[in-house]
Amino acid sequence: MSERVFKSLTFAAASLTVVLAASFLIVLWFSGFEAWKTFGLKFLFTDVWNPSSGEFGALGALSGTLFTSLLALLIATPLAFAAAMWASDAPKWIASPLSRAMDMLAAIPSVIFGMWGIDFICPHFGFSLFSASLILSIMILPYITAVMRDVITMTPDVLKESAYGLGATRFEVVKDVILSFGKNGLAGGIFIGLGRALGETMAVLFVAGGLNMIPSGLFDGCTTIASALANDFAEAEGLHRSVLFALGFILLMLEFAIQILAQLYLKRGKIK
Amino acid sequence: MIRRSTLPRRIADSLFKITSAVSSSLGLLIMIIIVSTILYYGASMLSIEFLTSPSKPYGEAGAGIANAILGTLLITFGAALIALPPAMAAGIYLAEYGRDSKLASILRFTGNVLMGIPSVVVGIFVYALVVVTFGRFSGFAGSVALAFLMFPVVMRTTEDMLRMVNDSLRESVLALGETRSRGTLKVIFRAARGGILTGVLLALARVSGETAPLLFTALFADSWPTSYFSGPTASLPVLITDYTMNSPFEAMHRAGWGAAFVIAAIILAVNLVSRYYAEKEKL
């Protein structure tokens, strides 16, 4: 095989990333075009959801998506940070099974988290925003922890040892040395977690209650863009289907923005 | 000199250590609870009949999940066939040719962004692209959706593993008069194959449990997956969703847990084996 052909072939394969990203945007935009044409930008700011009369707004699902994801982040971030701290300098016989368990947790399919949530979380908190956030926080915990562990182990030992040498306690080393050295990387980890939470579908579909409106309380039913897509798409027709594509487009844009932020912060924190 | 008490600092430190230890154990604890739930509800469902009969509508005797197991295998390996060649080629480009060039870092960045696309969005994308174009749902469309999810993951793993191969090996190969492409395929790729294989297995395990991309592509059918290219094809995740969400019957819920047990066992086994293998390679 000629060298040039081989190189061009591999380059073409790598370019598929850009082709794919672009075609996602194009296909979702045009499939949802009828919705954008019908409702205009107002679509983003109304929460009516009435398939029978053909009135739709994105705000119900969008606000549910943001509320559940942010609350999940609020629960998971401190836990992930503490777990990463501990794993980064616990003795190997403790740290290794813990991180193994986290890896396994990340491998369990979303749909099983959903079934588990129905039996173990919903009896206590109902089919609600809070149940969805709780499930999400468990699901994103391993991802945030993994990134944070990398960030923490990258803090130069010299810096930590100098602080210990000055008489700092473990807590002070974490607060003053590791946090300030790794803040970009840690922020990157949080964005990775947020990205996962925003797009998570099945678990949320099972426990959130599926009410397409702006949630007014923690224990109210709600829906997210991802779970609304999973629930409605098969039966939707005409304008309704186009509206769902438009929701998918919004979620895609949101996800692209979060991923770009995550990559920028991780790059600044020199992770990967 | 004024001596300040170190007590508040020591208390803050102890509190911090306790919180860390507790929250670290939390991951392990949740893992144990979930796995034991799956075992408790799922294991009791297992029987030869359950594992070898196809699924049937509610009330019919002798129902099982064998068609969904086969369907999941078909759809997952179909996805691997579609995604692996271009993904590995892309990884080779990034590791061997692009390296730290501006262009390569843009492609790498885009790949990382692609990994974040929600699987349900991939589902509606493939619906618009494949299902609408061919005018029918099919297991193949499901494979395409899973392939899109695998592509960036395998590309990045291939690159990472190739880059771990020492440059002196590349130079030796070239010094022996081998061409770049043959050297890459025969020597560099071979040196990294353990890591790449691990990455591919993990990616396969990940996508085999995906539900959302299959909901509007492969759909579901109470039949053996004989029409992979032309009709709805059963899969374990969609069966679980159907039985849990859309069925009022206790027997169906139990069958759902049985299916959850099977898919979780497969995924966790692949994870454990490939991670064990990866760690042994490194030693």
Side-chain angles (χ1 to χ4, degrees):
Chain A
M1 178 171 20
S2 132
E3 286 307 292
R4 193 167 296 172
V5 174
F6 183 74
K7 189 179 171 186
S8 320
L9 274 180
T10 59
F11 175 68
S15 316
L16 277 178
T17 50
V18 176
V19 175
L20 260 181
S23 34
F24 266 91
L25 286 173
I26 295 169
V27 167
L28 291 191
W29 172 256
F30 282 104
S31 302
F33 193 69
E34 198 189 336
W36 296 112
K37 209 176 63 188
T38 314
F39 302 110
L41 268 186
K42 193 181 80 196
F43 181 62
L44 288 174
F45 304 106
T46 47
D47 75 325
V48 284
W49 190 266
N50 199 339
S52 52
S53 71
E55 290 171 283
F56 298 98
L59 196 58
L62 184 59
S63 61
T65 306
L66 296 177
F67 286 145
T68 49
S69 301
L70 293 176
L71 187 56
L73 215 51
L74 214 61
I75 301 171
T77 305
L79 292 176
F81 182 69
M85 267 324 301
W86 211 64
S88 66
D89 64 7
K92 198 161 183 285
W93 64 271
I94 302 181
S96 136
L98 282 181
S99 66
R100 193 65 60 86
M102 283 288 189
D103 290 339
M104 293 292 122
L105 200 59
I108 292 179
S110 162
V111 62
I112 294 184
F113 277 103
M115 304 171 81
W116 182 77
I118 291 180
D119 282 2
F120 283 80
I121 292 185
C122 295
H124 308 290
F125 306 109
F127 291 88
S128 64
L129 194 157
F130 188 76
S131 297
S133 308
L134 215 53
I135 281 277
L136 281 177
S137 68
I138 295 173
M139 298 180 72
I140 63 178
L141 188 63
Y143 293 92
I144 310 183
T145 309
V147 179
M148 287 190 165
R149 208 165 45 204
D150 289 349
V151 174
I152 289 166
T153 42
M154 279 184 60
T155 310
D157 284 339
V158 182
L159 284 184
K160 286 190 275 185
E161 280 156 15
S162 318
Y164 283 126
L166 289 170
T169 61
R170 176 113 187 88
F171 176 55
E172 286 158 347
V173 170
V174 169
K175 180 166 64 85
D176 300 329
V177 180
I178 296 179
L179 269 185
S180 66
F181 183 85
K183 56 180 181 294
N184 285 323
L186 294 174
I190 294 174
F191 280 120
I192 293 276
L194 180 59
R196 290 218 71 87
L198 287 174
E200 187 42 62
T201 310
M202 301 314 289
V204 178
L205 173 67
F206 280 26
V207 305
L211 288 181
N212 199 323
M213 54 169 74
I214 300 176
S216 53
L218 266 187
F219 299 102
D220 278 6
C222 69
T223 192
T224 64
I225 294 182
S227 58
L229 288 178
N231 197 47
D232 296 3
F233 193 82
E235 284 120 49
E237 281 168 356
L239 182 61
H240 190 184
R241 176 157 280 176
S242 162
V243 162
L244 292 173
F245 273 114
L247 281 181
F249 183 79
I250 296 172
L251 182 60
L252 187 69
M253 295 301 282
L254 213 57
E255 197 69 59
F256 276 173
I258 297 294
Q259 292 300 329
I260 288 171
L261 279 176
Q263 297 310 321
L264 291 179
Y265 274 103
L266 289 179
K267 208 177 241 172
R268 267 209 267 165
K270 300 249 171 8
I271 303 292
K272 293 224 172 104
Chain B
M1 193 173 106
I2 304 164
R3 291 192 68 104
R4 275 185 300 173
S5 162
T6 58
L7 191 64
R9 292 175 56 208
R10 276 186 286 141
I11 292 178
D13 193 48
S14 311
L15 279 179
F16 171 72
K17 280 177 184 155
I18 294 171
T19 326
S20 308
V22 169
S23 40
S24 314
S25 338
L26 206 68
L28 187 64
L29 187 71
I30 295 172
M31 181 64 206
I32 292 172
I33 295 177
I34 292 184
V35 168
S36 46
T37 312
I38 300 172
L39 274 174
Y40 180 77
Y41 286 115
S44 60
M45 283 304 297
L46 297 188
S47 65
I48 301 289
E49 188 183 46
F50 186 69
L51 292 175
T52 55
S53 316
S55 62
K56 289 175 182 160
Y58 175 72
E60 284 182 34
I65 57 168
N67 58 333
I69 297 177
L70 275 182
T72 286
L73 291 176
L74 258 177
I75 294 172
T76 310
F77 285 110
L81 282 183
I82 301 169
L84 292 186
M88 287 181 172
I92 289 177
Y93 176 80
L94 293 181
E96 304 296 323
Y97 297 104
R99 296 228 147 184
D100 296 318
S101 69
K102 188 100 190 155
L103 184 62
S105 61
I106 293 174
L107 294 174
R108 191 175 296 123
F109 190 92
T110 316
N112 288 348
V113 172
L114 279 184
M115 277 193 238
I117 296 184
S119 57
V120 69
V121 172
V122 175
I124 60 171
F125 173 72
V126 171
Y127 173 86
L129 208 65
V130 180
V131 176
V132 171
T133 310
F134 289 97
R136 55 176 169 248
F137 298 100
S138 65
F140 173 72
S143 292
V144 173
L146 297 187
F148 285 148
L149 288 173
M150 281 184 79
F151 175 75
V153 181
V154 174
M155 174 182 92
R156 294 284 292 135
T157 325
T158 307
E159 186 203 353
D160 287 346
M161 295 302 142
L162 289 178
R163 289 196 102 168
M164 278 163 64
V165 176
N166 213 310
D167 271 347
S168 60
L169 189 61
R170 294 190 173 84
E171 284 155 14
S172 317
V173 176
L174 292 177
L176 285 173
E178 197 58 282
T179 59
R180 192 95 185 263
S181 59
R182 278 173 61 94
T184 299
L185 290 175
K186 298 219 140 162
V187 181
I188 313 297
F189 204 80
R190 188 164 291 180
R193 75 180 162 201
I196 296 175
L197 183 67
T198 308
V200 168
L201 283 177
L202 288 178
L204 273 175
R206 232 310 298 281
V207 298
S208 70
E210 285 285 354
T211 315
L214 304 181
L215 286 175
F216 338 110
T217 52
L219 236 57
F220 188 79
D222 279 327
S223 57
W224 294 101
T226 46
S227 45
Y228 170 76
F229 285 102
S230 57
T233 303
S235 64
L236 286 170
V238 178
L239 178 139
I240 296 173
T241 308
D242 237 28
Y243 284 9
T244 310
M245 286 285 286
N246 306 331
S247 168
F249 306 111
E250 190 48 39
M252 300 303 243
H253 294 181
R254 283 206 307 276
W257 276 109
F261 178 89
V262 172
I263 187 87
I266 296 175
I267 290 176
L268 294 184
V270 171
N271 263 272
L272 282 173
V273 169
S274 53
R275 279 175 208 277
Y276 173 77
Y277 180 69
E279 261 161 45
K280 224 177 72 176
E281 279 277 291
K282 254 174 232 160
L283 287 177

